[in-house]
Amino acid sequence: MKIVVLVKHVPDAQFDRHITGPANTSDRDESILSELDEYALEAALQLAEERGGPKAGNEVIALSMGPSGAVNAVKKSLQIGAYSGFHLSDDALAGSDAAATSLALAAAIRHISADGRPVDLVLTGMASTDGETSLIPAQLAERLSLPQVTFASSLEVAGGQVTARRDAGPYSETVEAPLPAVVSVTDQINEPRYPNFKGILAAKKKKITPLTLSDIGLDASQVGLAGSWTVVESAEARPPRTAGTIITDEGDAGIKLVDFLAAQKLL
Amino acid sequence: MANALVFIDNPGAALKKSSLELLTIARSLGETAVAFTGELNDDVAATLGAYGATTVYRPSTDDLENYLVGPKAAYLAAAAAESGATTVLLDNSPEGKEIAGRLGIKLNAGVITDVVGVEPDGTAHKSVLAGSYNTSAKATTPVTVLSVKANNVEPAPAGEASVPAITTVDVPADAVAGSARISARAEKPVSGRPDLSEARIVVAGGRGVDGDFGPLEELADALGAAVGASRAATDAGWIGHDAQVGQTGVTVSPQLYISAGISGAIQQKAGMQTSKVIVAVNKDAESPVFEIADYGIIGDLFKVIPQATAEIKKRKG
């Protein structure tokens, strides 16, 4: 089975994050592999291992689109266990919205399929931890004319079909789709493994293939700000919340709390 | 020709408040049409009219419910084309956002999610990076697709009710082919409390509740609130994952957020940041949550919360 896992290099949510520049894009200086992508990577590794791993012809490919630093998300994925990686990077991609990003990723996946071994499964996290739109799995599936299975909290592949459980909404659902398919997974699906020393050493020998727009057959006008269908016109840092009244309970704090709620007309 | 098209997915016997909010926003953009799925109940049809919908589209098949996203997006694309609407509005549920995503590609339309306000010219307001920035965004395409968060406008019926025309839209024959099919579906137990994503008040607990959500549930019931939890509390198995508030759980922006036993580490703070009023109860005076709380109580939640519950019940008689 050939599995592509989308991995994104995102600003670390442990620190304050910033929007900069004329196009109001995220500052990516302090970036890491998006935490939610680790669940997709783990799910891919488990599926490949159940089938005999690389010796049995399985592939787990980490694909990242982003500026030069985004190769670190691919490297981290290789340390965790991905077999190989692709890094799609081109100055013209900067500022791409979801529509332009899904166009570029779809072209990259077609390119990765063009070696005669078509991709069976595209796995993603439930959302990135920066944009958080969760549009990419749906838009990528639409671009590739593939079924999408989103928010999977369990996943099985057998007989050319993927079967998943979804628990996110008001229902618990079992969902089936024929392969190839795009599947996004939640943080409930597994416990991602950590890279160990052996994995970090092994990663140095694994191949990362750089891709540019011309490799995937796209023109600069189709991506980036030029190819985006939405524009962020302004971004203002929200004034930080300030502390209000703080009291220490002296046996009547519950009553004082109700007084506060009543004064705010919240009862 | 409609200006705005509102997608309402299978509401059953009554429209949700979030649907009424979408209809209210749509009317501010001009003539409103509705793309509907499921059984069109008489009361629902009357409410759609009261909120100014002039046309209600229905799909030519009721099979859409058995598939994820793709066929609904195909139906909605057909309805959008027929209505001539330049703005399509959907709710901001995970499925609403995904239908918006696929629809955007089908219509070559820019999609903006997590919208909290819409200007008459189509400019959308949203907050990003966990509430730390407010942005204005606009689609550069002839059609705009917006998924709108609940609780940001007050639903208001139109001055004059209309009787909407009901029109059936042909769902493209290939819409279900190659889509993910729902082979089994079980309704989850209903708590009787408001839906967390739409609740006006949220009472949320964290590590400090130490396994016992009972006092929080009693306060929530006294306030008509939903119960939420930090990831630490759901990971510990004290409450279902459905209750998890924040990035990998439910996004909330209620009028009032009561945080009990939550320290307020940066990601937890992000989950409550866009609430109008934040109340925090925590034993540890150094908890970061006190930096953002409008009203903070340094104290034992097992004493403070039950006392507040009793006081609310007393005042409400």
mmCIF file of all heavy atoms in Angstrom, chain A residues 39 139 142 150-151 167 169 172 174 176 187-188 229 231 233 236 238 241 244-245 247 249 251 254 259, chain B residues 98 101-102 106 131-132 134 136 138 140 181 183-184 186 188 231 241 273 275 293 296 298 307 315:
data_model
loop_
_atom_site.group_PDB
_atom_site.id
_atom_site.type_symbol
_atom_site.label_atom_id
_atom_site.label_comp_id
_atom_site.label_asym_id
_atom_site.label_seq_id
_atom_site.Cartn_x
_atom_site.Cartn_y
_atom_site.Cartn_z
ATOM 1 N N TYR A 39 -0.799 12.036 14.580
ATOM 2 C CA TYR A 39 -1.780 10.944 14.652
ATOM 3 C C TYR A 39 -1.969 10.311 13.275
ATOM 4 O O TYR A 39 -2.144 9.094 13.158
ATOM 5 C CB TYR A 39 -3.112 11.459 15.214
ATOM 6 C CG TYR A 39 -2.976 12.025 16.608
ATOM 7 C CD1 TYR A 39 -2.693 13.376 16.819
ATOM 8 C CD2 TYR A 39 -3.085 11.193 17.721
ATOM 9 C CE1 TYR A 39 -2.542 13.899 18.085
ATOM 10 C CE2 TYR A 39 -2.931 11.703 19.002
ATOM 11 C CZ TYR A 39 -2.656 13.063 19.173
ATOM 12 O OH TYR A 39 -2.492 13.564 20.445
ATOM 13 N N GLN A 139 -11.172 19.775 0.382
ATOM 14 C CA GLN A 139 -10.861 20.400 -0.908
ATOM 15 C C GLN A 139 -9.910 19.540 -1.727
ATOM 16 O O GLN A 139 -10.025 19.462 -2.948
ATOM 17 C CB GLN A 139 -10.300 21.807 -0.686
ATOM 18 C CG GLN A 139 -11.335 22.712 -0.007
ATOM 19 C CD GLN A 139 -11.181 24.169 -0.316
ATOM 20 O OE1 GLN A 139 -10.085 24.693 -0.315
ATOM 21 N NE2 GLN A 139 -12.306 24.848 -0.561
ATOM 22 N N GLU A 142 -11.968 16.806 -3.232
ATOM 23 C CA GLU A 142 -12.734 17.325 -4.368
ATOM 24 C C GLU A 142 -11.823 17.516 -5.588
ATOM 25 O O GLU A 142 -12.188 17.151 -6.707
ATOM 26 C CB GLU A 142 -13.388 18.652 -3.966
ATOM 27 C CG GLU A 142 -14.282 19.272 -5.031
ATOM 28 C CD GLU A 142 -15.580 18.504 -5.269
ATOM 29 O OE1 GLU A 142 -16.087 17.879 -4.312
ATOM 30 O OE2 GLU A 142 -16.075 18.525 -6.407
ATOM 31 N N THR A 150 -13.638 11.822 7.034
ATOM 32 C CA THR A 150 -13.003 12.781 7.933
ATOM 33 C C THR A 150 -13.286 12.454 9.391
ATOM 34 O O THR A 150 -14.245 11.765 9.711
ATOM 35 C CB THR A 150 -13.510 14.196 7.615
ATOM 36 O OG1 THR A 150 -14.918 14.136 7.433
ATOM 37 C CG2 THR A 150 -12.866 14.735 6.360
ATOM 38 N N PHE A 151 -12.439 12.968 10.256
ATOM 39 C CA PHE A 151 -12.578 12.800 11.707
ATOM 40 C C PHE A 151 -12.667 11.322 12.092
ATOM 41 O O PHE A 151 -13.494 10.932 12.920
ATOM 42 C CB PHE A 151 -13.783 13.589 12.237
ATOM 43 C CG PHE A 151 -13.630 15.066 12.027
ATOM 44 C CD1 PHE A 151 -14.184 15.692 10.933
ATOM 45 C CD2 PHE A 151 -12.869 15.816 12.908
ATOM 46 C CE1 PHE A 151 -14.002 17.046 10.715
ATOM 47 C CE2 PHE A 151 -12.685 17.176 12.706
ATOM 48 C CZ PHE A 151 -13.248 17.789 11.605
ATOM 49 N N ASP A 167 -16.853 9.695 15.690
ATOM 50 C CA ASP A 167 -17.596 9.988 16.926
ATOM 51 C C ASP A 167 -17.771 11.474 17.156
ATOM 52 O O ASP A 167 -18.221 11.887 18.209
ATOM 53 C CB ASP A 167 -16.839 9.396 18.132
ATOM 54 C CG ASP A 167 -16.794 7.884 18.077
ATOM 55 O OD1 ASP A 167 -17.837 7.280 17.811
ATOM 56 O OD2 ASP A 167 -15.700 7.320 18.280
ATOM 57 N N GLY A 169 -19.693 14.033 15.858
ATOM 58 C CA GLY A 169 -20.967 14.736 15.900
ATOM 59 C C GLY A 169 -21.954 14.126 16.885
ATOM 60 O O GLY A 169 -21.556 13.489 17.852
ATOM 61 N N SER A 172 -22.563 8.287 16.515
ATOM 62 C CA SER A 172 -21.409 7.441 16.277
ATOM 63 C C SER A 172 -21.657 6.765 14.943
ATOM 64 O O SER A 172 -22.689 6.122 14.778
ATOM 65 C CB SER A 172 -21.332 6.365 17.360
ATOM 66 O OG SER A 172 -20.255 6.599 18.179
ATOM 67 N N THR A 174 -20.314 4.486 11.418
ATOM 68 C CA THR A 174 -19.344 3.675 10.695
ATOM 69 C C THR A 174 -19.425 4.096 9.239
ATOM 70 O O THR A 174 -20.526 4.223 8.692
ATOM 71 C CB THR A 174 -19.670 2.177 10.835
ATOM 72 O OG1 THR A 174 -19.805 1.879 12.218
ATOM 73 C CG2 THR A 174 -18.568 1.334 10.223
ATOM 74 N N GLU A 176 -17.776 3.814 5.195
ATOM 75 C CA GLU A 176 -16.989 3.000 4.270
ATOM 76 C C GLU A 176 -16.746 3.766 2.977
ATOM 77 O O GLU A 176 -17.651 4.434 2.484
ATOM 78 C CB GLU A 176 -17.757 1.724 3.901
ATOM 79 C CG GLU A 176 -18.044 0.835 5.075
ATOM 80 C CD GLU A 176 -19.051 -0.257 4.723
ATOM 81 O OE1 GLU A 176 -19.669 -0.193 3.633
ATOM 82 O OE2 GLU A 176 -19.207 -1.155 5.554
ATOM 83 N N ASP A 187 -7.413 13.077 17.199
ATOM 84 C CA ASP A 187 -6.394 12.742 18.201
ATOM 85 C C ASP A 187 -6.848 11.591 19.097
ATOM 86 O O ASP A 187 -6.176 11.260 20.059
ATOM 87 C CB ASP A 187 -6.054 13.983 19.030
ATOM 88 C CG ASP A 187 -7.240 14.517 19.801
ATOM 89 O OD1 ASP A 187 -8.391 14.161 19.468
ATOM 90 O OD2 ASP A 187 -7.026 15.308 20.742
ATOM 91 N N GLN A 188 -8.003 10.985 18.791
ATOM 92 C CA GLN A 188 -8.470 9.836 19.573
ATOM 93 C C GLN A 188 -8.040 8.510 18.949
ATOM 94 O O GLN A 188 -8.264 7.447 19.509
ATOM 95 C CB GLN A 188 -10.005 9.857 19.659
ATOM 96 C CG GLN A 188 -10.561 11.114 20.282
ATOM 97 C CD GLN A 188 -10.152 11.238 21.723
ATOM 98 O OE1 GLN A 188 -10.491 10.393 22.545
ATOM 99 N NE2 GLN A 188 -9.400 12.275 22.045
ATOM 100 N N TRP A 229 -8.402 32.437 -3.602
ATOM 101 C CA TRP A 229 -9.749 32.960 -3.830
ATOM 102 C C TRP A 229 -10.250 33.791 -2.648
ATOM 103 O O TRP A 229 -11.374 34.285 -2.657
ATOM 104 C CB TRP A 229 -10.724 31.807 -4.099
ATOM 105 C CG TRP A 229 -10.401 31.056 -5.369
ATOM 106 C CD1 TRP A 229 -9.626 31.491 -6.411
ATOM 107 C CD2 TRP A 229 -10.861 29.755 -5.737
ATOM 108 N NE1 TRP A 229 -9.584 30.540 -7.394
ATOM 109 C CE2 TRP A 229 -10.328 29.463 -7.017
ATOM 110 C CE3 TRP A 229 -11.682 28.798 -5.103
ATOM 111 C CZ2 TRP A 229 -10.585 28.256 -7.675
ATOM 112 C CZ3 TRP A 229 -11.932 27.602 -5.768
ATOM 113 C CH2 TRP A 229 -11.393 27.334 -7.030
ATOM 114 N N VAL A 231 -8.809 36.753 0.402
ATOM 115 C CA VAL A 231 -7.712 37.632 0.797
ATOM 116 C C VAL A 231 -7.989 38.137 2.212
ATOM 117 O O VAL A 231 -9.133 38.439 2.551
ATOM 118 C CB VAL A 231 -7.546 38.792 -0.221
ATOM 119 C CG1 VAL A 231 -8.844 39.528 -0.447
ATOM 120 C CG2 VAL A 231 -6.475 39.767 0.224
ATOM 121 N N GLU A 233 -7.793 40.991 4.483
ATOM 122 C CA GLU A 233 -7.614 42.430 4.280
ATOM 123 C C GLU A 233 -6.971 43.117 5.480
ATOM 124 O O GLU A 233 -6.255 44.085 5.338
ATOM 125 C CB GLU A 233 -8.968 43.077 3.956
ATOM 126 C CG GLU A 233 -9.476 42.624 2.594
ATOM 127 C CD GLU A 233 -10.771 43.297 2.196
ATOM 128 O OE1 GLU A 233 -11.612 43.518 3.097
ATOM 129 O OE2 GLU A 233 -10.949 43.579 1.012
ATOM 130 N N GLU A 236 -5.737 42.332 13.198
ATOM 131 C CA GLU A 236 -5.381 43.132 14.373
ATOM 132 C C GLU A 236 -5.233 42.223 15.572
ATOM 133 O O GLU A 236 -6.112 41.401 15.835
ATOM 134 C CB GLU A 236 -6.502 44.130 14.681
ATOM 135 C CG GLU A 236 -6.453 45.372 13.834
ATOM 136 C CD GLU A 236 -7.755 46.145 13.950
ATOM 137 O OE1 GLU A 236 -8.312 46.216 15.070
ATOM 138 O OE2 GLU A 236 -8.217 46.651 12.907
ATOM 139 N N ARG A 238 -5.691 41.023 19.003
ATOM 140 C CA ARG A 238 -6.761 41.299 19.942
ATOM 141 C C ARG A 238 -6.130 41.850 21.211
ATOM 142 O O ARG A 238 -5.113 41.329 21.667
ATOM 143 C CB ARG A 238 -7.424 39.959 20.222
ATOM 144 C CG ARG A 238 -8.743 39.990 20.906
ATOM 145 C CD ARG A 238 -9.067 38.527 21.255
ATOM 146 N NE ARG A 238 -10.152 38.479 22.207
ATOM 147 C CZ ARG A 238 -11.417 38.299 21.846
ATOM 148 N NH1 ARG A 238 -11.737 38.106 20.598
ATOM 149 N NH2 ARG A 238 -12.359 38.266 22.768
ATOM 150 N N ARG A 241 -6.557 40.067 27.148
ATOM 151 C CA ARG A 241 -7.548 40.138 28.225
ATOM 152 C C ARG A 241 -6.815 40.573 29.480
ATOM 153 O O ARG A 241 -5.697 40.144 29.728
ATOM 154 C CB ARG A 241 -8.177 38.767 28.454
ATOM 155 C CG ARG A 241 -9.202 38.371 27.437
ATOM 156 C CD ARG A 241 -9.939 37.126 27.897
ATOM 157 N NE ARG A 241 -11.168 37.474 28.578
ATOM 158 C CZ ARG A 241 -12.379 37.336 28.030
ATOM 159 N NH1 ARG A 241 -12.522 36.851 26.822
ATOM 160 N NH2 ARG A 241 -13.461 37.664 28.715
ATOM 161 N N GLY A 244 -9.500 40.644 35.966
ATOM 162 C CA GLY A 244 -10.556 41.422 36.599
ATOM 163 C C GLY A 244 -10.417 41.348 38.112
ATOM 164 O O GLY A 244 -9.306 41.433 38.651
ATOM 165 N N THR A 245 -11.515 41.163 38.762
ATOM 166 C CA THR A 245 -11.518 41.065 40.223
ATOM 167 C C THR A 245 -11.062 39.662 40.645
ATOM 168 O O THR A 245 -11.544 38.677 40.108
ATOM 169 C CB THR A 245 -12.963 41.268 40.730
ATOM 170 O OG1 THR A 245 -13.468 42.451 40.133
ATOM 171 C CG2 THR A 245 -13.015 41.355 42.237
ATOM 172 N N ILE A 247 -10.715 37.320 44.079
ATOM 173 C CA ILE A 247 -10.958 37.245 45.524
ATOM 174 C C ILE A 247 -10.470 35.905 46.055
ATOM 175 O O ILE A 247 -10.316 34.949 45.303
ATOM 176 C CB ILE A 247 -12.458 37.422 45.874
ATOM 177 C CG1 ILE A 247 -13.295 36.290 45.252
ATOM 178 C CG2 ILE A 247 -12.972 38.782 45.416
ATOM 179 C CD1 ILE A 247 -14.692 36.177 45.840
ATOM 180 N N ASP A 249 -11.417 32.880 48.656
ATOM 181 C CA ASP A 249 -12.617 32.380 49.332
ATOM 182 C C ASP A 249 -12.470 32.486 50.852
ATOM 183 O O ASP A 249 -11.509 31.986 51.429
ATOM 184 C CB ASP A 249 -12.855 30.917 48.932
ATOM 185 C CG ASP A 249 -14.154 30.378 49.532
ATOM 186 O OD1 ASP A 249 -15.036 31.202 49.889
ATOM 187 O OD2 ASP A 249 -14.296 29.148 49.625
ATOM 188 N N GLY A 251 -15.238 31.614 52.640
ATOM 189 C CA GLY A 251 -16.447 30.905 53.041
ATOM 190 C C GLY A 251 -17.701 31.402 52.348
ATOM 191 O O GLY A 251 -18.758 30.777 52.469
ATOM 192 N N GLY A 254 -18.903 31.531 46.841
ATOM 193 C CA GLY A 254 -19.977 31.059 45.965
ATOM 194 C C GLY A 254 -21.088 32.085 45.870
ATOM 195 O O GLY A 254 -21.638 32.331 44.782
ATOM 196 N N ASP A 259 -23.548 36.961 43.049
ATOM 197 C CA ASP A 259 -23.731 38.425 42.993
ATOM 198 C C ASP A 259 -23.112 38.981 41.711
ATOM 199 O O ASP A 259 -23.703 39.820 41.036
ATOM 200 C CB ASP A 259 -23.054 39.117 44.194
ATOM 201 C CG ASP A 259 -23.809 38.881 45.498
ATOM 202 O OD1 ASP A 259 -25.019 38.551 45.429
ATOM 203 O OD2 ASP A 259 -23.183 39.010 46.567
ATOM 204 N N GLU B 98 -16.765 21.286 5.927
ATOM 205 C CA GLU B 98 -16.284 20.424 4.839
ATOM 206 C C GLU B 98 -17.157 20.547 3.601
ATOM 207 O O GLU B 98 -16.655 20.507 2.478
ATOM 208 C CB GLU B 98 -16.250 18.978 5.309
ATOM 209 C CG GLU B 98 -15.141 18.786 6.317
ATOM 210 C CD GLU B 98 -15.130 17.409 6.904
ATOM 211 O OE1 GLU B 98 -15.875 16.539 6.421
ATOM 212 O OE2 GLU B 98 -14.368 17.211 7.843
ATOM 213 N N GLY B 101 -16.050 23.534 1.994
ATOM 214 C CA GLY B 101 -14.782 23.322 1.299
ATOM 215 C C GLY B 101 -14.979 22.728 -0.085
ATOM 216 O O GLY B 101 -14.454 23.227 -1.079
ATOM 217 N N ARG B 102 -15.759 21.636 -0.132
ATOM 218 C CA ARG B 102 -15.967 20.975 -1.439
ATOM 219 C C ARG B 102 -16.777 21.888 -2.363
ATOM 220 O O ARG B 102 -16.509 21.974 -3.557
ATOM 221 C CB ARG B 102 -16.670 19.625 -1.256
ATOM 222 C CG ARG B 102 -15.743 18.542 -0.726
ATOM 223 C CD ARG B 102 -16.314 17.134 -0.873
ATOM 224 N NE ARG B 102 -15.884 16.505 -2.099
ATOM 225 C CZ ARG B 102 -15.283 15.312 -2.180
ATOM 226 N NH1 ARG B 102 -15.031 14.602 -1.095
ATOM 227 N NH2 ARG B 102 -14.936 14.811 -3.344
ATOM 228 N N LYS B 106 -16.115 23.306 -6.257
ATOM 229 C CA LYS B 106 -17.093 23.107 -7.335
ATOM 230 C C LYS B 106 -17.513 24.433 -7.973
ATOM 231 O O LYS B 106 -17.768 24.500 -9.172
ATOM 232 C CB LYS B 106 -18.346 22.400 -6.794
ATOM 233 C CG LYS B 106 -18.157 20.916 -6.540
ATOM 234 C CD LYS B 106 -19.451 20.310 -6.034
ATOM 235 C CE LYS B 106 -19.250 18.881 -5.549
ATOM 236 N NZ LYS B 106 -18.894 17.945 -6.629
ATOM 237 N N GLY B 131 -7.910 32.993 18.926
ATOM 238 C CA GLY B 131 -8.515 34.202 19.459
ATOM 239 C C GLY B 131 -7.541 35.338 19.665
ATOM 240 O O GLY B 131 -7.912 36.386 20.183
ATOM 241 N N SER B 132 -6.278 35.168 19.238
ATOM 242 C CA SER B 132 -5.319 36.236 19.516
ATOM 243 C C SER B 132 -5.334 37.339 18.447
ATOM 244 O O SER B 132 -4.800 38.406 18.665
ATOM 245 C CB SER B 132 -3.912 35.674 19.712
ATOM 246 O OG SER B 132 -3.513 34.919 18.603
ATOM 247 N N ASN B 134 -7.971 39.338 15.412
ATOM 248 C CA ASN B 134 -9.224 39.506 14.683
ATOM 249 C C ASN B 134 -8.870 39.874 13.251
ATOM 250 O O ASN B 134 -8.087 40.804 13.030
ATOM 251 C CB ASN B 134 -10.063 40.626 15.297
ATOM 252 C CG ASN B 134 -10.551 40.252 16.683
ATOM 253 O OD1 ASN B 134 -10.845 39.094 16.947
ATOM 254 N ND2 ASN B 134 -10.614 41.225 17.574
ATOM 255 N N SER B 136 -10.201 40.513 9.006
ATOM 256 C CA SER B 136 -11.257 40.707 8.018
ATOM 257 C C SER B 136 -10.780 40.042 6.750
ATOM 258 O O SER B 136 -9.648 40.265 6.330
ATOM 259 C CB SER B 136 -11.477 42.178 7.714
ATOM 260 O OG SER B 136 -11.851 42.847 8.864
ATOM 261 N N LYS B 138 -11.993 38.502 2.646
ATOM 262 C CA LYS B 138 -12.978 38.651 1.597
ATOM 263 C C LYS B 138 -12.647 37.662 0.494
ATOM 264 O O LYS B 138 -11.480 37.401 0.221
ATOM 265 C CB LYS B 138 -12.894 40.085 1.052
ATOM 266 C CG LYS B 138 -14.185 40.564 0.453
ATOM 267 C CD LYS B 138 -14.109 42.031 0.104
ATOM 268 C CE LYS B 138 -15.379 42.408 -0.637
ATOM 269 N NZ LYS B 138 -15.413 43.804 -1.006
ATOM 270 N N THR B 140 -12.331 36.789 -3.399
ATOM 271 C CA THR B 140 -12.057 37.587 -4.598
ATOM 272 C C THR B 140 -12.813 37.016 -5.797
ATOM 273 O O THR B 140 -12.598 37.436 -6.921
ATOM 274 C CB THR B 140 -10.545 37.571 -4.899
ATOM 275 O OG1 THR B 140 -10.130 36.208 -4.996
ATOM 276 C CG2 THR B 140 -9.762 38.258 -3.805
ATOM 277 N N ARG B 181 -19.766 6.140 2.293
ATOM 278 C CA ARG B 181 -21.132 5.805 2.668
ATOM 279 C C ARG B 181 -21.192 5.524 4.174
ATOM 280 O O ARG B 181 -20.283 4.905 4.731
ATOM 281 C CB ARG B 181 -21.557 4.549 1.897
ATOM 282 C CG ARG B 181 -23.045 4.284 1.884
ATOM 283 C CD ARG B 181 -23.338 3.101 0.975
ATOM 284 N NE ARG B 181 -22.779 1.860 1.508
ATOM 285 C CZ ARG B 181 -23.411 1.102 2.400
ATOM 286 N NH1 ARG B 181 -24.609 1.415 2.830
ATOM 287 N NH2 ARG B 181 -22.840 -0.001 2.858
ATOM 288 N N SER B 183 -22.452 3.379 6.865
ATOM 289 C CA SER B 183 -23.040 2.039 6.875
ATOM 290 C C SER B 183 -23.749 1.746 8.194
ATOM 291 O O SER B 183 -24.572 0.854 8.269
ATOM 292 C CB SER B 183 -21.971 0.986 6.600
ATOM 293 O OG SER B 183 -20.941 1.078 7.565
ATOM 294 N N ALA B 184 -23.430 2.490 9.248
ATOM 295 C CA ALA B 184 -24.131 2.308 10.524
ATOM 296 C C ALA B 184 -24.102 3.623 11.271
ATOM 297 O O ALA B 184 -23.148 4.393 11.158
ATOM 298 C CB ALA B 184 -23.447 1.223 11.358
ATOM 299 N N ALA B 186 -25.394 5.345 15.121
ATOM 300 C CA ALA B 186 -26.054 5.215 16.417
ATOM 301 C C ALA B 186 -26.097 6.577 17.073
ATOM 302 O O ALA B 186 -25.078 7.277 17.130
ATOM 303 C CB ALA B 186 -25.287 4.230 17.297
ATOM 304 N N LYS B 188 -26.004 9.186 19.934
ATOM 305 C CA LYS B 188 -25.377 9.158 21.256
ATOM 306 C C LYS B 188 -26.405 9.541 22.312
ATOM 307 O O LYS B 188 -27.357 10.259 22.020
ATOM 308 C CB LYS B 188 -24.213 10.144 21.292
ATOM 309 C CG LYS B 188 -23.068 9.731 20.406
ATOM 310 C CD LYS B 188 -21.947 10.715 20.570
ATOM 311 C CE LYS B 188 -20.884 10.498 19.533
ATOM 312 N NZ LYS B 188 -20.000 11.650 19.435
ATOM 313 N N ARG B 231 -8.563 19.070 28.105
ATOM 314 C CA ARG B 231 -8.065 17.808 27.565
ATOM 315 C C ARG B 231 -7.549 16.896 28.680
ATOM 316 O O ARG B 231 -7.703 15.673 28.606
ATOM 317 C CB ARG B 231 -6.954 18.104 26.556
ATOM 318 C CG ARG B 231 -6.482 16.876 25.848
ATOM 319 C CD ARG B 231 -5.730 17.242 24.591
ATOM 320 N NE ARG B 231 -5.165 16.032 23.996
ATOM 321 C CZ ARG B 231 -4.432 16.053 22.890
ATOM 322 N NH1 ARG B 231 -4.181 17.198 22.297
ATOM 323 N NH2 ARG B 231 -3.954 14.950 22.391
ATOM 324 N N HIS B 241 -15.019 12.413 25.640
ATOM 325 C CA HIS B 241 -14.247 13.298 24.761
ATOM 326 C C HIS B 241 -15.134 14.390 24.144
ATOM 327 O O HIS B 241 -14.655 15.471 23.812
ATOM 328 C CB HIS B 241 -13.567 12.470 23.672
ATOM 329 C CG HIS B 241 -12.780 13.293 22.701
ATOM 330 N ND1 HIS B 241 -11.611 13.925 23.059
ATOM 331 C CD2 HIS B 241 -13.010 13.629 21.421
ATOM 332 C CE1 HIS B 241 -11.153 14.601 22.021
ATOM 333 N NE2 HIS B 241 -11.986 14.435 21.006
ATOM 334 N N GLN B 273 -10.663 31.992 25.372
ATOM 335 C CA GLN B 273 -10.310 33.367 25.045
ATOM 336 C C GLN B 273 -11.460 34.213 24.475
ATOM 337 O O GLN B 273 -11.569 35.391 24.773
ATOM 338 C CB GLN B 273 -9.180 33.320 24.021
ATOM 339 C CG GLN B 273 -8.433 34.590 23.822
ATOM 340 C CD GLN B 273 -7.086 34.553 24.500
ATOM 341 O OE1 GLN B 273 -6.916 35.079 25.576
ATOM 342 N NE2 GLN B 273 -6.121 33.891 23.874
ATOM 343 N N SER B 275 -14.677 33.924 24.884
ATOM 344 C CA SER B 275 -15.888 34.033 25.705
ATOM 345 C C SER B 275 -16.061 35.484 26.149
ATOM 346 O O SER B 275 -15.075 36.183 26.376
ATOM 347 C CB SER B 275 -15.766 33.147 26.945
ATOM 348 O OG SER B 275 -15.370 31.841 26.578
ATOM 349 N N ALA B 293 -9.160 36.082 33.690
ATOM 350 C CA ALA B 293 -10.510 35.951 34.253
ATOM 351 C C ALA B 293 -11.087 37.320 34.601
ATOM 352 O O ALA B 293 -10.386 38.184 35.139
ATOM 353 C CB ALA B 293 -10.474 35.074 35.500
ATOM 354 N N GLY B 296 -12.151 36.106 39.361
ATOM 355 C CA GLY B 296 -11.385 34.943 39.783
ATOM 356 C C GLY B 296 -11.586 34.663 41.260
ATOM 357 O O GLY B 296 -11.632 35.595 42.068
ATOM 358 N N ILE B 298 -9.895 32.427 44.274
ATOM 359 C CA ILE B 298 -8.877 31.510 44.752
ATOM 360 C C ILE B 298 -9.537 30.698 45.860
ATOM 361 O O ILE B 298 -9.855 31.232 46.932
ATOM 362 C CB ILE B 298 -7.649 32.285 45.286
ATOM 363 C CG1 ILE B 298 -7.078 33.159 44.157
ATOM 364 C CG2 ILE B 298 -6.593 31.321 45.809
ATOM 365 C CD1 ILE B 298 -6.169 34.273 44.650
ATOM 366 N N GLN B 307 -21.835 25.924 46.705
ATOM 367 C CA GLN B 307 -22.431 27.088 47.372
ATOM 368 C C GLN B 307 -23.102 28.006 46.338
ATOM 369 O O GLN B 307 -24.215 28.487 46.554
ATOM 370 C CB GLN B 307 -21.350 27.856 48.138
ATOM 371 C CG GLN B 307 -21.914 28.979 48.988
ATOM 372 C CD GLN B 307 -20.817 29.755 49.719
ATOM 373 O OE1 GLN B 307 -19.819 30.133 49.097
ATOM 374 N NE2 GLN B 307 -21.000 29.946 51.011
ATOM 375 N N ARG B 315 -32.213 31.935 44.749
ATOM 376 C CA ARG B 315 -32.667 33.194 44.137
ATOM 377 C C ARG B 315 -33.708 32.958 43.050
ATOM 378 O O ARG B 315 -34.564 33.809 42.823
ATOM 379 C CB ARG B 315 -31.480 33.946 43.534
ATOM 380 C CG ARG B 315 -30.556 34.458 44.616
ATOM 381 C CD ARG B 315 -29.588 35.477 44.073
ATOM 382 N NE ARG B 315 -28.505 35.640 45.030
ATOM 383 C CZ ARG B 315 -27.545 36.538 44.925
ATOM 384 N NH1 ARG B 315 -27.517 37.349 43.882
ATOM 385 N NH2 ARG B 315 -26.611 36.626 45.837
#
